[in-house]
Amino acid sequence: MSLIISWKNSDVYKADLQTLTNGCWLNDHVITFAFDYLQHIKFVDHSDILFVSPGTSYIMMHEDDDEDFKDTVEGSGLCDSTSLAFFPINDNPHVTQGGGSHWSLLCFDRKSERFYAFDSASGSNKNESRQLAKKLYSFLYPGKTRKDFFVEAKSPQQANGYDCGVYTCALAEEVSSLHIKGEAIDSSQFQTSLVSTVSPSYATKYRKNILEAISEVERISKTSK
């Protein structure tokens, strides 16, 4: 496999670029890169916002040992100063092998002390999202109980069977932008802005945005050598 860039948590290969073609399903390499780009370039001045990689999110979801779970969460960078955190959710039930058919986004909002599930396929990953949210809520707020810690947020919907990964990345970026502008995640204005911005045509454009970001990081990496 031909490696294009190795940067932060990301290894992007030439074959991964094919997944950015319209009509293809994004893989975890591309989503990891997109989250790294948001963390270290797009929102580099907002250290209170955290973008957790797909691999780390998946480990958190399926880790049964309390100490290992604690180590994974702390290693992800989630801490008391985190105001907003994003976790890509995949529905692959097989821990020891690749797979899965859908990506969605789980967002932790410290101000409301809630986890919001943004799913571009009408709650397809509800169980997986709630599973991780429950584990993280218990870790962040030990001994505290709350029935409404998990919210199925109103999310823009994909118009096909392959844009879920694109929506996951685009929603993470747009939710962050609205958060920085001071919009409350549970407000009607927030939901209206999100749905109007992240549309099917926006998703098509966002694939190109990721390709451009890969080229940008590739240039930066070559210059820094």
Side-chain angles (χ1 to χ4, degrees), residues 130-203:
R130 186 180 180 86
Q131 177 183 339
L132 180 55
K134 184 177 181 180
K135 293 175 72 173
L136 286 168
Y137 186 85
S138 296
F139 175 80
L140 292 168
Y141 304 103
K144 189 173 183 178
T145 58
R146 180 175 184 170
K147 291 182 179 180
D148 62 347
F149 71 92
F150 176 76
V151 179
E152 286 189 273
K154 183 177 181 181
S155 174
Q157 297 295 288
Q158 63 193 81
N160 51 54
Y162 50 79
D163 267 343
C164 55
V166 182
Y167 271 77
T168 296
C169 300
L171 284 166
E173 179 172 344
E174 187 59 23
V175 170
S176 297
S177 295
L178 290 170
H179 172 78
I180 291 168
K181 292 176 182 176
E183 295 284 354
I185 196 169
D186 54 358
S187 70
S188 58
Q189 179 60 43
F190 183 99
Q191 295 170 359
T192 299
S193 298
L194 195 65
V195 172
S196 64
T197 300
V198 186
S199 62
S201 60
Y202 183 86

Side-chain angles (χ1 to χ4, degrees), residues 26-170:
L26 295 197
N27 64 16
D28 56 338
H29 287 179
V30 173
I31 295 174
T32 298
F33 169 81
F35 269 47
D36 271 347
Y37 185 85
L38 294 175
Q39 185 78 74
H40 299 287
I41 294 182
K42 181 73 176 182
F43 298 109
V44 67
D45 294 329
H46 300 276
S47 59
D48 59 311
I49 302 177
L50 178 67
F51 300 88
V52 180
S53 73
T56 300
S57 297
Y58 190 78
I59 291 171
M60 288 179 185
M61 192 189 310
H62 294 281
E63 181 56 69
D64 294 324
D65 184 87
D66 289 344
E67 282 302 314
D68 287 344
F69 179 76
K70 177 177 180 291
D71 290 344
T72 303
V73 173
E74 291 177 348
S76 74
L78 186 61
C79 61
D80 291 344
S81 63
T82 303
S83 66
L84 204 66
F86 297 97
F87 307 86
I89 302 296
N90 187 270
D91 63 353
N92 177 21
H94 306 294
V95 179
T96 59
Q97 63 188 61
S101 60
H102 184 55
W103 291 103
S104 63
L105 183 69
L106 181 67
C107 173
F108 167 62
D109 175 60
R110 186 173 296 278
K111 184 176 181 180
S112 63
E113 297 186 354
R114 291 190 179 106
F115 288 84
Y116 293 82
F118 294 92
D119 196 326
S120 61
S122 299
S124 295
N125 279 356
K126 177 182 178 180
N127 291 338
E128 292 83 358
S129 298
R130 186 180 180 86
Q131 177 183 339
L132 180 55
K134 184 177 181 180
K135 293 175 72 173
L136 286 168
Y137 186 85
S138 296
F139 175 80
L140 292 168
Y141 304 103
K144 189 173 183 178
T145 58
R146 180 175 184 170
K147 291 182 179 180
D148 62 347
F149 71 92
F150 176 76
V151 179
E152 286 189 273
K154 183 177 181 181
S155 174
Q157 297 295 288
Q158 63 193 81
N160 51 54
Y162 50 79
D163 267 343
C164 55
V166 182
Y167 271 77
T168 296
C169 300

